[in-house]
Amino acid sequence: VQLQASGGGSVQVGETSRVSCTASGRIFPASAVGWFRQAPGKGREFVAAIQWSGSFTQYAESVKGRSAISKENGRNTVHLQMHNLKPEDTAVYYCALQKPRLSRRDYTAAEMYDYWGQGTQVTVSS
């Protein structure tokens, strides 16, 4: 499995940005794609996740209500659209894929993900 992140860039406070993750390879419906972000000097933080089938989504409290994660069928692409952006949203955003597991799943834990894409920068300036 390979993941390719794209999108983001520089925006102003209050604007909208979208980052996308295109996956290739064999992906099972019970897989999940997560977005994490890492700001300078900070650890990697969970942002949002979606099951590959699109039946389940989860958001971090910091972005809940102003973000939407979606799966674009036919293109194997997951989008994360973030509205009302704040300076604290500035970070490198990474997408990752978690393979199906029989054990209890945790979409918020980076160590539970099996494949990672390269990061894409989102910069929010005032």
Side-chain angles (χ1 to χ4, degrees), residues 12-115:
Q12 300 292 313
V13 169
E15 292 185 341
T16 295
S17 183
R18 188 175 82 166
V19 290
S20 301
C21 181
T22 299
S24 60
R26 186 174 185 182
I27 303 168
F28 295 96
S31 300
V33 171
W35 281 98
F36 292 77
R37 65 187 182 187
Q38 188 164 16
K42 295 188 177 181
R44 196 162 290 192
E45 174 192 23
F46 169 75
V47 180
I50 185 169
Q51 195 169 50
W52 193 250
S53 65
S55 60
F56 177 80
T57 59
Q58 187 173 356
Y59 297 90
E61 287 298 321
S62 58
V63 302
K64 190 178 292 184
R66 59 186 184 94
S67 297
I69 188 170
S70 60
K71 164 79 168 33
E72 184 178 349
N73 293 322
R75 288 192 60 200
N76 284 356
T77 299
V78 170
H79 303 291
L80 175 65
Q81 186 149 329
M82 299 173 289
H83 306 282
N84 190 23
L85 283 164
K86 308 172 183 179
E88 51 264 42
D89 293 315
T90 295
V92 177
Y93 284 71
Y94 298 90
C95 64
L97 186 138
Q98 183 180 128
K99 295 188 295 185
R101 283 173 167 78
L102 295 177
S103 58
R104 182 177 178 275
R105 306 186 71 171
D106 183 354
Y107 297 116
T108 69
E111 62 269 24
M112 296 295 288
Y113 286 80
D114 303 284
Y115 304 96

